[in-house]
């Protein structure tokens, strides 16, 4: 089965703790993305990576960090500097060679709750 | 600054009716306009997409209408079914870029 996996599905953390969300894809996609979803806010881009060992900030990168050491993996760390981390986090990937559409495929998401 | 404005925020349609969701954009560099469907607790999935050189694209009961001069595009769901109840997002991509800018979403409820 090809696709994107995110783990865990639900995550609870105490305020002030860093937490890392996992995202793995076996679609052989070059590009990977992290979005944050809040009710009524749509999807907002946190970070994205076009290639291994390279990544760029999105619209709301403050308080987050990422790494891209392998093509298949793009973990997101929510740091204690993120003021309001409780949200639904979505990972996506796309192929740079998929033609004009460059469709983004999404994982099932991780719901993070900070207590 | 919201680059893609989506309306309405929520929509209730009777079974068999037509659901219409609208989006507007400002940036003329956008060259690809997808619509995503999201069920509660799941990730979004691509529904249908259009490029600005086409005014309409139809896939089954789903149609995108595109008005380049007005910088608007809309999703029409014909013969709406309860199984279509979901949140729908429009998005836009700038030419030469891979990232998408999303609208804020429309929660559609199709009543039986």
């Amino acid at each position: 089965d090809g696709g994107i996996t995110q783990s865990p599905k639900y995550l609870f953390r105490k305020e002030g703790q860093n937490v890392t969300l996992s995202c793995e894809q076996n679609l052989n996609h070059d590009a990977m993305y992290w979005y944050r979803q809040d009710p009524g806010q749509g999807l907002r881009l946190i970070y994205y990576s076009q290639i291994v060992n390279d990544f760029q900030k999105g619209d709301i990168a403050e308080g987050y960090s990422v790494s891209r050491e392998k093509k298949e993996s793009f973990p997101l760390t929510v740091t204690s500097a993120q003021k309001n981390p409780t949200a639904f986090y979505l990972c996506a990937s796309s192929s740079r060679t998929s033609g004009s559409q460059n469709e983004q495929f999404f994982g099932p998401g991780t719901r993070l709750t900070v207590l | 600054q919201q680059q893609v404005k989506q309306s309405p925020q929520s929509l209730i349609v009777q079974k068999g009716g037509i659901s219409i969701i609208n989006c507007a954009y400002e940036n003329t560099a956008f060259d690809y306009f997808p619509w995503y469907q999201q069920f509660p607790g799941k990730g979004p999935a691509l529904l249908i997409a259009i490029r600005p050189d086409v005014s309409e694209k139809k896939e089954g009961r789903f149609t995108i209408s595109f008005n380049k001069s007005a910088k608007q595009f809309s999703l029409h769901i014909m013969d709406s079914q309860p199984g279509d109840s979901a949140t729908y997002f429009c998005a836009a991509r700038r030419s030469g870029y891979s990232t998408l800018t999303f609208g804020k979403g429309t929660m559609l409820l199709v009543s039986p």
Side-chain angles (χ1 to χ4, degrees):
Chain A
D1 260 346
I4 301 175
T5 57
Q6 291 185 244
S7 61
K9 189 171 176 64
Y10 298 97
L11 190 55
F12 296 88
R13 278 294 182 269
K14 290 185 179 178
E15 197 172 329
Q17 290 181 334
N18 290 358
V19 61
T20 297
L21 280 59
S22 167
C23 177
E24 304 275 334
Q25 54 97 0
N26 61 4
L27 300 168
N28 199 33
H29 283 168
D30 291 300
M32 297 186 73
Y33 314 81
W34 274 106
Y35 293 90
R36 170 181 172 138
Q37 185 175 15
D38 298 281
Q41 292 297 315
L43 279 68
R44 293 182 290 169
L45 184 64
I46 304 172
Y47 268 99
Y48 65 102
S49 168
Q50 304 270 50
I51 197 168
V52 173
N53 291 323
D54 188 44
F55 48 82
Q56 287 77 40
K57 292 181 179 180
D59 300 318
I60 56 165
E62 186 176 347
Y64 300 96
S65 65
V66 293
S67 63
R68 186 87 187 276
E69 297 176 1
K70 298 187 298 182
K71 186 175 183 178
E72 304 79 25
S73 178
F74 191 40
L76 173 75
T77 297
V78 184
T79 75
S80 56
Q82 168 51 234
K83 293 191 170 97
N84 186 17
T86 294
F88 189 49
Y89 290 88
L90 287 158
C91 178
S93 70
S94 67
S95 169
R96 295 174 71 191
T97 58
S98 64
S100 61
Q101 289 206 355
N102 195 36
E103 176 186 351
Q104 287 191 19
F105 293 84
F106 283 83
T110 292
R111 187 165 297 281
L112 172 64
T113 302
V114 175
L115 306 170
Chain B
Q1 182 186 1
Q2 188 185 350
Q3 295 195 53
V4 179
K5 292 185 179 178
Q6 184 172 347
S7 63
Q9 196 170 7
S10 62
L11 182 61
I12 300 175
V13 173
Q14 295 257 5
K15 178 182 174 181
I18 303 174
S19 304
I20 302 174
I21 304 170
N22 301 298
C23 284
Y25 64 96
E26 289 296 325
N27 192 339
T28 56
F30 288 144
D31 72 344
Y32 171 67
F33 302 88
W35 283 90
Y36 282 82
Q37 180 189 56
Q38 183 183 32
F39 293 105
K42 307 291 184 184
L46 180 68
L47 191 61
I48 187 172
I50 198 167
R51 293 181 65 83
D53 52 353
V54 175
S55 62
E56 185 174 283
K57 183 173 181 180
K58 184 175 181 179
E59 289 184 3
R61 295 185 294 109
F62 300 92
T63 300
I64 300 179
S65 297
F66 189 87
N67 186 330
K68 189 173 180 179
S69 60
K71 291 185 281 187
Q72 295 175 347
F73 58 109
S74 59
L75 175 69
H76 295 236
I77 306 175
M78 312 301 286
D79 187 26
S80 298
Q81 299 297 312
D84 297 329
S85 298
T87 300
Y88 292 82
F89 294 96
C90 63
R93 187 194 69 191
R94 279 172 59 189
S95 176
Y97 290 77
S98 68
T99 57
L100 294 172
T101 300
F102 284 85
K104 291 193 174 184
T106 296
M107 195 176 301
L108 171 66
L109 176 64
V110 180
S111 59

